Amino acid sequence: MTEKRFISPLTDFGFKRIFGNKDILLAFLNDLFEGEVQFTDLIYSDKEIKGDSEVGKTVIYDIHCTTSSGDKIIVEMQNEGSLGFRNRMVYYVARDIAKQGESGKDWNYANLKAVYSIIFTNFELFKVGNTQKLSLRHDIKLTDVTTNETFSDKLRMVCLQLPLAVVEPLKGETKLESWMYNLKNMEAMQQLTNTEDMPIFKRLEQVAEYHQLSPEDREAYDISYKHYLDAYNLELSRRQELEMAITNGLAEGLEKGRAEGLALGKAEGEAIGRALGLEKGRAEGIEKGRAEGIEKGRAEGEAKGERKKQLEIAANMKNYGMPTDQISLMTGLPSEEVEAL
């Protein structure tokens, strides 16, 4: 098995080490906004790089900086989606815009600086109905829908969907496609692609090389990587179990609703009453059955996920040599079950 050469940008440590390097971040931003704006310098709000400290903590990593012209840049990585994720995108940009009004009585709206939010998602975010819009990059601006012209350039969000990066290097790919391919596959690569045409990737290789880390940074990265895997595997398992439980619950609920609807319709007696009752009963029964089925399925799925989490935590504790009675006390699992792990 080939030893891994590069750290993963999907971890907190890896993301902040890579994009905490000014040369790399400037090159990436200028390639991302090529032909629109040219950034010459950045000032980081916080360059400290830390590994995760909580097992299972949702993975959102971000870097904040200011350009030489005073514009704000937010670059973040999100490995998990949520129902409110789009609202969260808007909230964080709006918050940085609103903070500018706190700079004193001499401030006025003419001094408003732009806020750029660049978000890497390790999942596919943009859908229309059940159809996935297969686009690597999505740009969100304030636009007048009547004229299709930009209303203001002070708010800009760019979402980059890592799952839609190219699966292998292609001739003639864009700079952004090269960036996304290298970032998505870096952990499994021994050498980055397109380093001759884009020398910044040679610098990226130096910054991201695991064995060039100091012993302290290597330990921090290992912890960060473990936490990323723990969170990823736990979330994947939870979603699979929950989806299966919901699917089973829906099937049971639909069957129950259909039977109740049919029985109610037959009880009406007369032809017109039977027809109306059957339709109404089926609709109400299906709705009620679906709701009960979903609720039951979700509860069972969450219970299974919570138990699996407790078993994984207990197993980790046992691997670290903790006594069985302490593990049982902390996790609530019976001693016999802990011994069997």
Side-chain angles (χ1 to χ4, degrees), residues 103-164:
S103 57
K105 63 181 181 180
D106 295 331
W107 182 88
N108 60 64
Y109 296 104
N111 298 327
L112 191 67
K113 299 297 183 180
V115 177
Y116 295 82
S117 177
I118 297 90
I119 305 167
F120 292 89
T121 62
N122 198 20
F123 55 90
E124 298 176 12
L125 175 64
F126 289 87
K127 292 182 179 180
V128 177
N130 294 322
T131 302
Q132 181 71 45
K133 296 189 72 174
L134 299 177
S135 178
L136 171 66
R137 171 179 179 166
H138 284 265
D139 274 276
I140 299 95
K141 304 178 182 178
L142 290 176
T143 303
D144 184 335
V145 296
T146 303
T147 64
N148 203 31
E149 294 180 353
T150 299
F151 175 75
S152 171
D153 62 355
K154 303 306 180 184
L155 182 154
R156 181 77 175 272
M157 294 182 287
V158 180
C159 181
L160 302 170
Q161 302 181 101
L162 279 168
L164 300 182

Coordinates of all heavy atoms in Angstrom, one line a residue, residues 103-164:
S103 N -18.5 51.2 12.7 CA -17.2 51.8 12.7 C -17.1 53.2 13.1 O -16.1 53.9 13.1 CB -16.5 51.6 11.3 OG -17.4 52.2 10.3
G104 N -18.3 53.8 13.5 CA -18.3 55.2 14.0 C -19.2 56.1 13.3 O -19.7 55.8 12.3
K105 N -19.4 57.3 13.8 CA -20.3 58.2 13.3 C -19.9 58.8 11.9 O -20.7 59.3 11.2 CB -20.5 59.4 14.2 CG -19.3 60.2 14.5 CD -19.5 61.4 15.5 CE -18.3 62.2 15.7 NZ -18.5 63.3 16.7
D106 N -18.6 58.7 11.6 CA -18.1 59.2 10.3 C -18.4 58.2 9.2 O -18.2 58.5 8.0 CB -16.6 59.5 10.3 CG -16.3 60.6 11.3 OD1 -17.2 61.5 11.5 OD2 -15.2 60.6 11.9
W107 N -18.8 57.0 9.5 CA -19.1 56.0 8.5 C -20.4 56.3 7.8 O -21.4 56.8 8.4 CB -19.2 54.6 9.2 CG -19.4 53.5 8.2 CD1 -18.5 52.8 7.5 CD2 -20.7 52.9 7.8 NE1 -19.1 51.8 6.7 CE2 -20.5 51.9 6.8 CE3 -22.0 53.3 8.1 CZ2 -21.5 51.2 6.2 CZ3 -23.0 52.5 7.5 CH2 -22.8 51.5 6.5
N108 N -20.4 56.0 6.5 CA -21.7 56.2 5.7 C -21.7 55.0 4.7 O -20.8 54.3 4.5 CB -21.8 57.5 5.1 CG -20.7 57.8 4.1 OD1 -20.6 57.1 3.1 ND2 -19.9 58.8 4.4
Y109 N -22.9 54.9 4.1 CA -23.1 53.8 3.2 C -22.2 53.8 2.0 O -22.0 52.7 1.4 CB -24.6 53.7 2.8 CG -25.5 53.5 3.9 CD1 -26.3 54.5 4.4 CD2 -25.6 52.2 4.5 CE1 -27.1 54.4 5.5 CE2 -26.5 52.0 5.6 CZ -27.2 53.1 6.1 OH -28.1 52.9 7.1
A110 N -21.6 54.9 1.7 CA -20.7 55.0 0.5 C -19.4 54.2 0.8 O -18.7 53.8 -0.1 CB -20.4 56.4 0.2
N111 N -19.2 54.0 2.1 CA -17.9 53.3 2.5 C -18.1 51.8 2.6 O -17.2 51.1 3.0 CB -17.4 53.8 3.8 CG -17.1 55.3 3.8 OD1 -16.6 55.8 2.7 ND2 -17.3 56.0 4.9
L112 N -19.3 51.3 2.2 CA -19.6 49.9 2.4 C -18.6 49.1 1.5 O -18.5 49.3 0.3 CB -21.0 49.6 2.0 CG -21.6 48.2 2.3 CD1 -21.7 48.0 3.8 CD2 -22.9 48.0 1.6
K113 N -18.0 48.1 2.1 CA -17.1 47.2 1.4 C -17.8 45.9 1.0 O -18.7 45.4 1.7 CB -15.9 46.9 2.3 CG -15.1 48.1 2.6 CD -14.5 48.8 1.4 CE -13.6 50.0 1.8 NZ -13.0 50.6 0.6
A114 N -17.3 45.3 0.0 CA -17.9 44.0 -0.5 C -17.5 42.9 0.4 O -16.5 42.9 1.0 CB -17.5 43.7 -1.9
V115 N -18.4 41.9 0.5 CA -18.1 40.7 1.3 C -18.2 39.5 0.3 O -19.3 39.3 -0.3 CB -19.1 40.5 2.4 CG1 -18.8 39.1 3.1 CG2 -19.0 41.6 3.4
Y116 N -17.2 38.7 0.1 CA -17.1 37.6 -0.7 C -17.1 36.3 0.2 O -16.3 36.2 1.1 CB -15.8 37.5 -1.6 CG -15.7 38.6 -2.6 CD1 -15.2 39.9 -2.2 CD2 -16.0 38.4 -3.9 CE1 -15.1 40.9 -3.1 CE2 -15.8 39.4 -4.9 CZ -15.4 40.7 -4.5 OH -15.2 41.7 -5.4
S117 N -18.0 35.4 -0.1 CA -18.1 34.1 0.6 C -17.8 33.0 -0.4 O -18.6 32.8 -1.4 CB -19.4 34.0 1.3 OG -19.5 32.7 1.9
I118 N -16.7 32.2 -0.2 CA -16.4 31.1 -1.1 C -16.6 29.8 -0.3 O -15.9 29.7 0.8 CB -15.0 31.2 -1.6 CG1 -14.9 32.4 -2.5 CG2 -14.7 30.0 -2.5 CD1 -14.4 33.7 -1.8
I119 N -17.5 29.0 -0.7 CA -17.9 27.8 0.1 C -17.6 26.6 -0.7 O -18.2 26.4 -1.8 CB -19.4 27.9 0.5 CG1 -19.7 29.2 1.3 CG2 -19.7 26.7 1.4 CD1 -21.1 29.5 1.4
F120 N -16.8 25.7 -0.2 CA -16.6 24.4 -0.7 C -17.6 23.4 0.0 O -17.6 23.4 1.2 CB -15.2 23.8 -0.4 CG -14.1 24.6 -1.1 CD1 -13.5 25.7 -0.6 CD2 -13.6 24.1 -2.4 CE1 -12.4 26.3 -1.2 CE2 -12.6 24.8 -3.0 CZ -12.0 25.9 -2.5
T121 N -18.4 22.7 -0.8 CA -19.3 21.7 -0.2 C -18.9 20.3 -0.6 O -18.7 20.1 -1.8 CB -20.8 22.0 -0.6 OG1 -20.9 21.9 -2.0 CG2 -21.2 23.4 -0.2
N122 N -18.8 19.5 0.4 CA -18.4 18.1 0.1 C -19.7 17.3 -0.1 O -19.8 16.1 0.2 CB -17.6 17.4 1.2 CG -16.9 16.2 0.8 OD1 -16.7 15.9 -0.4 ND2 -16.5 15.4 1.7
F123 N -20.7 17.9 -0.7 CA -22.0 17.3 -1.0 C -22.6 18.2 -2.1 O -22.2 19.3 -2.4 CB -22.9 17.3 0.2 CG -23.1 18.6 0.8 CD1 -24.2 19.4 0.4 CD2 -22.3 19.0 1.8 CE1 -24.3 20.7 1.0 CE2 -22.4 20.3 2.4 CZ -23.5 21.1 2.0
E124 N -23.6 17.6 -2.8 CA -24.3 18.4 -3.9 C -25.5 19.2 -3.3 O -26.4 18.7 -2.8 CB -24.8 17.4 -5.0 CG -23.7 16.6 -5.6 CD -24.2 15.6 -6.6 OE1 -25.4 15.6 -6.9 OE2 -23.4 14.7 -7.0
L125 N -25.4 20.5 -3.4 CA -26.3 21.4 -2.7 C -27.4 21.8 -3.6 O -28.6 22.0 -3.2 CB -25.5 22.7 -2.3 CG -26.4 23.8 -1.6 CD1 -27.0 23.3 -0.4 CD2 -25.5 25.0 -1.4
F126 N -27.2 22.1 -4.9 CA -28.2 22.8 -5.7 C -29.0 21.7 -6.5 O -28.6 20.9 -7.3 CB -27.5 23.7 -6.7 CG -26.9 24.9 -6.1 CD1 -25.7 24.9 -5.5 CD2 -27.7 26.1 -5.9 CE1 -25.1 26.0 -4.9 CE2 -27.2 27.2 -5.3 CZ -25.9 27.1 -4.8
K127 N -30.4 21.8 -6.2 CA -31.3 20.9 -6.9 C -32.5 21.7 -7.3 O -32.9 22.7 -6.7 CB -31.8 19.8 -6.0 CG -30.7 18.8 -5.7 CD -31.2 17.6 -4.8 CE -30.1 16.6 -4.5 NZ -30.7 15.5 -3.7
V128 N -33.2 21.3 -8.4 CA -34.5 21.9 -8.8 C -35.4 20.7 -8.8 O -35.4 19.8 -9.7 CB -34.4 22.5 -10.2 CG1 -35.8 23.0 -10.6 CG2 -33.4 23.7 -10.2
G129 N -36.3 20.7 -7.8 CA -37.2 19.5 -7.7 C -36.3 18.3 -7.4 O -35.5 18.3 -6.5
N130 N -36.5 17.2 -8.2 CA -35.7 16.0 -8.0 C -34.5 16.0 -9.0 O -33.8 15.0 -9.1 CB -36.5 14.8 -8.2 CG -37.6 14.6 -7.1 OD1 -37.3 15.0 -5.9 ND2 -38.8 14.2 -7.4
T131 N -34.3 17.1 -9.7 CA -33.3 17.1 -10.7 C -32.1 17.9 -10.2 O -32.2 19.0 -9.7 CB -33.8 17.9 -12.0 OG1 -35.0 17.2 -12.5 CG2 -32.8 17.9 -13.1
Q132 N -30.9 17.2 -10.3 CA -29.7 17.9 -9.9 C -29.1 18.7 -11.0 O -29.0 18.3 -12.1 CB -28.7 16.8 -9.5 CG -27.3 17.3 -9.0 CD -27.5 17.9 -7.6 OE1 -28.1 17.3 -6.8 NE2 -26.9 19.1 -7.4
K133 N -28.9 20.0 -10.7 CA -28.2 20.9 -11.6 C -26.7 20.6 -11.5 O -26.0 21.0 -10.6 CB -28.5 22.3 -11.3 CG -30.0 22.7 -11.5 CD -30.3 24.2 -11.4 CE -29.8 24.9 -12.6 NZ -30.1 26.3 -12.6
L134 N -26.2 19.9 -12.5 CA -24.8 19.4 -12.5 C -23.9 20.6 -12.9 O -23.4 20.7 -14.0 CB -24.6 18.2 -13.4 CG -25.5 17.0 -13.0 CD1 -25.3 15.9 -14.0 CD2 -25.2 16.5 -11.6
S135 N -23.5 21.4 -11.9 CA -22.6 22.5 -12.2 C -21.6 22.5 -11.0 O -22.0 22.6 -9.8 CB -23.4 23.8 -12.3 OG -22.5 24.9 -12.5
L136 N -20.4 22.6 -11.4 CA -19.3 22.6 -10.3 C -19.4 23.9 -9.5 O -19.2 23.9 -8.3 CB -17.9 22.5 -11.0 CG -16.7 22.8 -10.2 CD1 -16.5 21.7 -9.2 CD2 -15.5 22.9 -11.1
R137 N -19.7 25.0 -10.2 CA -19.7 26.3 -9.5 C -21.0 27.0 -9.6 O -21.7 27.0 -10.7 CB -18.6 27.2 -10.2 CG -18.7 28.7 -9.8 CD -17.6 29.4 -10.5 NE -17.5 30.8 -10.2 CZ -16.6 31.7 -10.4 NH1 -15.5 31.2 -11.0 NH2 -16.6 32.9 -10.0
H138 N -21.5 27.6 -8.5 CA -22.7 28.4 -8.5 C -22.4 29.7 -7.9 O -21.8 29.8 -6.9 CB -23.8 27.7 -7.7 CG -24.5 26.6 -8.4 ND1 -25.6 26.7 -9.1 CD2 -24.1 25.2 -8.5 CE1 -26.0 25.5 -9.6 NE2 -25.0 24.6 -9.3
D139 N -22.8 30.8 -8.7 CA -22.5 32.2 -8.2 C -23.8 32.8 -7.8 O -24.8 32.7 -8.5 CB -21.9 33.0 -9.3 CG -20.4 32.9 -9.4 OD1 -19.8 33.7 -8.6 OD2 -19.9 32.1 -10.2
I140 N -23.8 33.4 -6.6 CA -25.0 34.1 -6.1 C -24.7 35.5 -5.9 O -23.8 35.9 -5.2 CB -25.5 33.5 -4.8 CG1 -25.8 32.0 -5.0 CG2 -26.7 34.2 -4.2 CD1 -24.7 31.0 -4.6
K141 N -25.6 36.4 -6.6 CA -25.4 37.8 -6.5 C -26.7 38.5 -6.2 O -27.8 37.8 -6.3 CB -24.8 38.4 -7.8 CG -23.5 37.8 -8.3 CD -23.1 38.4 -9.6 CE -21.9 37.8 -10.2 NZ -21.5 38.4 -11.5
L142 N -26.7 39.8 -5.9 CA -27.9 40.6 -5.8 C -28.3 41.1 -7.3 O -27.5 41.9 -7.8 CB -27.8 41.8 -4.9 CG -27.7 41.4 -3.4 CD1 -27.4 42.6 -2.6 CD2 -29.0 40.7 -2.9
T143 N -29.3 40.6 -7.8 CA -29.7 40.9 -9.2 C -31.1 41.4 -9.4 O -32.0 40.9 -8.7 CB -29.5 39.7 -10.1 OG1 -28.2 39.2 -10.0 CG2 -29.8 40.0 -11.6
D144 N -31.3 42.4 -10.2 CA -32.6 42.9 -10.5 C -33.2 41.9 -11.5 O -32.8 41.8 -12.7 CB -32.5 44.3 -11.2 CG -33.8 44.9 -11.5 OD1 -34.8 44.2 -11.6 OD2 -33.9 46.2 -11.5
V145 N -34.3 41.2 -11.1 CA -34.8 40.2 -12.0 C -35.6 40.8 -13.2 O -35.8 40.1 -14.2 CB -35.8 39.3 -11.2 CG1 -35.1 38.6 -10.1 CG2 -37.0 40.1 -10.6
T146 N -35.9 42.1 -13.1 CA -36.6 42.8 -14.3 C -35.6 43.0 -15.4 O -35.9 42.8 -16.6 CB -37.2 44.1 -13.8 OG1 -38.1 43.8 -12.8 CG2 -38.0 44.7 -15.0
T147 N -34.4 43.5 -15.1 CA -33.4 43.9 -16.1 C -32.3 42.9 -16.2 O -31.5 43.0 -17.1 CB -32.8 45.3 -15.7 OG1 -32.1 45.1 -14.5 CG2 -33.9 46.3 -15.6
N148 N -32.2 41.9 -15.2 CA -31.2 40.9 -15.2 C -29.8 41.6 -15.0 O -28.8 41.0 -15.4 CB -31.2 40.1 -16.4 CG -30.5 38.7 -16.2 OD1 -30.5 38.2 -15.1 ND2 -29.8 38.2 -17.2
E149 N -29.8 42.8 -14.4 CA -28.5 43.5 -14.1 C -28.2 43.4 -12.6 O -29.1 43.3 -11.8 CB -28.6 44.9 -14.6 CG -28.8 45.1 -16.1 CD -28.9 46.6 -16.5 OE1 -29.0 47.4 -15.5 OE2 -28.9 46.9 -17.7
T150 N -26.9 43.5 -12.3 CA -26.5 43.4 -10.9 C -27.0 44.6 -10.2 O -26.8 45.8 -10.6 CB -25.0 43.4 -10.8 OG1 -24.5 42.2 -11.5 CG2 -24.5 43.4 -9.4
F151 N -27.7 44.4 -9.1 CA -28.2 45.5 -8.2 C -27.2 46.1 -7.4 O -27.1 47.3 -7.2 CB -29.4 44.9 -7.4 CG -29.9 45.9 -6.4 CD1 -30.8 47.0 -6.8 CD2 -29.6 45.8 -5.0 CE1 -31.3 47.9 -5.9 CE2 -30.1 46.8 -4.1 CZ -30.9 47.8 -4.6
S152 N -26.3 45.2 -6.8 CA -25.2 45.6 -6.0 C -24.1 44.6 -6.0 O -24.4 43.4 -6.1 CB -25.6 45.8 -4.5 OG -24.5 46.1 -3.6
D153 N -22.8 45.1 -6.0 CA -21.7 44.2 -6.0 C -21.1 44.0 -4.6 O -20.0 43.5 -4.5 CB -20.6 44.7 -7.0 CG -20.1 46.0 -6.5 OD1 -20.6 46.6 -5.5 OD2 -19.1 46.5 -7.2
K154 N -21.8 44.3 -3.6 CA -21.3 44.2 -2.2 C -21.6 42.9 -1.6 O -21.1 42.6 -0.5 CB -22.0 45.3 -1.3 CG -21.7 46.7 -1.9 CD -20.3 47.0 -2.1 CE -20.1 48.5 -2.6 NZ -18.7 48.7 -2.9
L155 N -22.3 42.0 -2.2 CA -22.6 40.7 -1.7 C -22.3 39.7 -2.8 O -22.9 39.8 -3.9 CB -24.0 40.6 -1.2 CG -24.4 39.2 -0.6 CD1 -25.6 39.5 0.4 CD2 -24.9 38.2 -1.6
R156 N -21.5 38.7 -2.6 CA -21.1 37.7 -3.6 C -20.9 36.4 -2.9 O -20.0 36.3 -1.9 CB -19.9 38.1 -4.3 CG -19.4 37.2 -5.4 CD -20.3 37.3 -6.7 NE -19.8 36.5 -7.8 CZ -18.9 36.9 -8.7 NH1 -18.4 38.1 -8.6 NH2 -18.5 36.1 -9.6
M157 N -21.6 35.4 -3.3 CA -21.4 34.0 -2.7 C -21.1 33.1 -3.9 O -21.8 33.0 -4.9 CB -22.6 33.5 -2.0 CG -22.9 34.3 -0.7 SD -24.4 33.7 0.2 CE -25.7 34.2 -0.9
V158 N -20.0 32.3 -3.7 CA -19.6 31.3 -4.7 C -19.6 29.9 -4.0 O -18.9 29.7 -3.1 CB -18.3 31.6 -5.3 CG1 -17.9 30.5 -6.4 CG2 -18.3 33.0 -6.0
C159 N -20.4 29.0 -4.5 CA -20.4 27.7 -4.0 C -19.7 26.7 -5.0 O -20.1 26.7 -6.2 CB -21.9 27.2 -3.8 SG -22.0 25.6 -3.1
L160 N -18.8 26.0 -4.4 CA -18.0 25.0 -5.3 C -18.3 23.6 -4.8 O -18.0 23.3 -3.6 CB -16.5 25.3 -5.1 CG -16.1 26.8 -5.6 CD1 -14.7 27.1 -5.2 CD2 -16.4 27.0 -7.1
Q161 N -18.9 22.8 -5.6 CA -19.4 21.5 -5.2 C -18.3 20.4 -5.5 O -18.1 20.0 -6.7 CB -20.7 21.1 -5.9 CG -21.8 22.1 -5.6 CD -23.1 21.8 -6.2 OE1 -24.0 21.2 -5.6 NE2 -23.2 22.1 -7.5
L162 N -17.6 20.0 -4.5 CA -16.5 19.0 -4.7 C -16.9 17.7 -5.4 O -16.1 17.2 -6.2 CB -15.8 18.7 -3.3 CG -14.8 19.8 -2.9 CD1 -14.4 19.5 -1.4 CD2 -13.6 19.8 -3.7
P163 N -18.1 17.1 -5.1 CA -18.4 15.9 -5.7 C -18.5 16.0 -7.3 O -18.5 15.0 -8.0 CB -19.8 15.6 -5.1 CG -19.8 16.2 -3.8 CD -19.0 17.5 -4.0
L164 N -18.7 17.3 -7.8 CA -18.8 17.5 -9.2 C -17.5 17.8 -9.9 O -17.5 18.2 -11.0 CB -19.9 18.5 -9.5 CG -21.3 18.2 -9.0 CD1 -22.2 19.3 -9.3 CD2 -21.8 16.9 -9.5

